[in-house]
Amino acid sequence: MAPHRLGILLSGRGSNFLAIADNIRQGKLADTEIAIAISNRADAPGIAAARALGLEAHVIESRGRKREEHDREIIAALEQRQVELVCLAGYMRLLSAAFVQAFPQRILNIHPSLLPAFPGLDAQQQALDYGVQFTGCTVHFVDEQLDHGVIVLQKQVPVLESDDEHSLAERILAQEHLAYSEAIARVLSGEYEIVGRRYLRRS
């Protein structure tokens, strides 16, 4: 049986992408391969890292282009490589409705909070400012709203009195690196159903 094919979208260093690649290499994500990594920025360190790993890596610049036009080019690249699941790894652009519709319930994102709390940017600072005792990370399907799709998996992180935004972000990121691959394995297994907004695993 052919391995499951992932498409990675990134805008920066791609630490979650590297964790996914490492888990594939170690056999923790079985029967899975990264078919392509795509960045909207030529200077993204994650693209250089993908090339260093011998993966197919493309830059499809977004600057100065309409979102729909840019997304169409990415959709074509993903479809050409028969990508089964699209994983956003620090991809700093909202996807167009056409993109979401091209891969229904086949786009995952990870966010550094326990959604629906603290969506958007600076989630760690939002958590500190609000004074919560716990935060964490969420892997969710992507829909047409920001940080809104059905939740696949969450991991909890305590907020310490000594925390600042950077120390909290580091501890959340360590959990992100575990959570994303776990969520990918769950989705690729197909052993779940979505009822309303609930992701339900089949026993």
Side-chain angles (χ1 to χ4, degrees), residues 84-129:
E84 184 175 343
L85 186 65
V86 181
C87 300
L88 309 187
Y91 188 64
M92 302 305 290
R93 282 175 64 82
L94 286 174
L95 301 181
S96 63
F99 198 126
V100 174
Q101 290 160 14
F103 297 93
Q105 303 291 30
R106 291 195 293 137
I107 308 173
L108 287 179
N109 185 44
I110 191 160
H111 183 75
S113 78
L114 296 175
L115 291 172
F118 315 129
L121 297 175
D122 303 319
Q124 302 91 337
Q125 189 61 54
Q126 289 186 60
L128 290 170
D129 291 344

Side-chain angles (χ1 to χ4, degrees), residues 1-202:
M1 196 168 104
H4 299 292
R5 295 171 66 80
L6 304 181
I8 306 288
L9 302 189
L10 56 88
S11 296
R13 60 181 176 154
S15 73
N16 272 304
F17 148 63
L18 291 172
I20 292 166
D22 194 48
N23 284 328
I24 290 172
R25 196 163 52 246
Q26 294 182 40
K28 295 177 182 177
L29 258 176
D31 302 318
T32 303
E33 65 183 11
I34 295 173
I36 189 171
I38 298 174
S39 178
N40 63 312
R41 298 181 48 166
D43 61 350
I47 281 294
R51 289 173 178 152
L53 291 172
L55 299 172
E56 184 174 359
H58 285 244
V59 175
I60 301 178
E61 281 276 7
S62 59
R63 192 176 306 153
R65 301 179 66 187
K66 292 183 178 178
R67 187 181 310 279
E68 290 76 12
E69 174 198 338
H70 180 250
D71 282 5
R72 275 198 302 272
E73 189 173 346
I74 296 178
I75 291 167
L78 295 169
E79 289 180 339
Q80 183 181 3
R81 288 153 186 86
Q82 300 178 305
V83 164
E84 184 175 343
L85 186 65
V86 181
C87 300
L88 309 187
Y91 188 64
M92 302 305 290
R93 282 175 64 82
L94 286 174
L95 301 181
S96 63
F99 198 126
V100 174
Q101 290 160 14
F103 297 93
Q105 303 291 30
R106 291 195 293 137
I107 308 173
L108 287 179
N109 185 44
I110 191 160
H111 183 75
S113 78
L114 296 175
L115 291 172
F118 315 129
L121 297 175
D122 303 319
Q124 302 91 337
Q125 189 61 54
Q126 289 186 60
L128 290 170
D129 291 344
Y130 204 85
V132 296
Q133 296 181 11
F134 292 90
T135 184
C137 61
T138 302
V139 184
H140 64 94
F141 287 110
V142 173
D143 63 15
E144 294 168 26
Q145 300 180 53
L146 176 66
D147 297 330
H148 177 267
V150 170
I151 292 168
V152 177
L153 185 149
Q154 293 182 306
K155 287 192 180 290
Q156 186 172 280
V157 174
V159 180
L160 307 178
E161 290 184 6
S162 59
D163 269 329
D164 60 17
E165 181 181 6
H166 301 293
S167 63
L168 182 57
E170 283 183 6
R171 294 207 322 285
I172 293 173
L173 189 61
Q175 293 303 308
E176 289 181 41
H177 291 169
L178 301 173
Y180 216 159
S181 290
E182 187 177 336
I184 289 168
R186 287 188 185 184
V187 172
L188 291 177
S189 76
E191 296 176 357
Y192 67 92
E193 58 184 329
I194 295 173
V195 179
R197 282 197 51 85
R198 298 184 67 197
Y199 167 94
L200 302 175
R201 298 176 73 182
R202 298 195 190 106

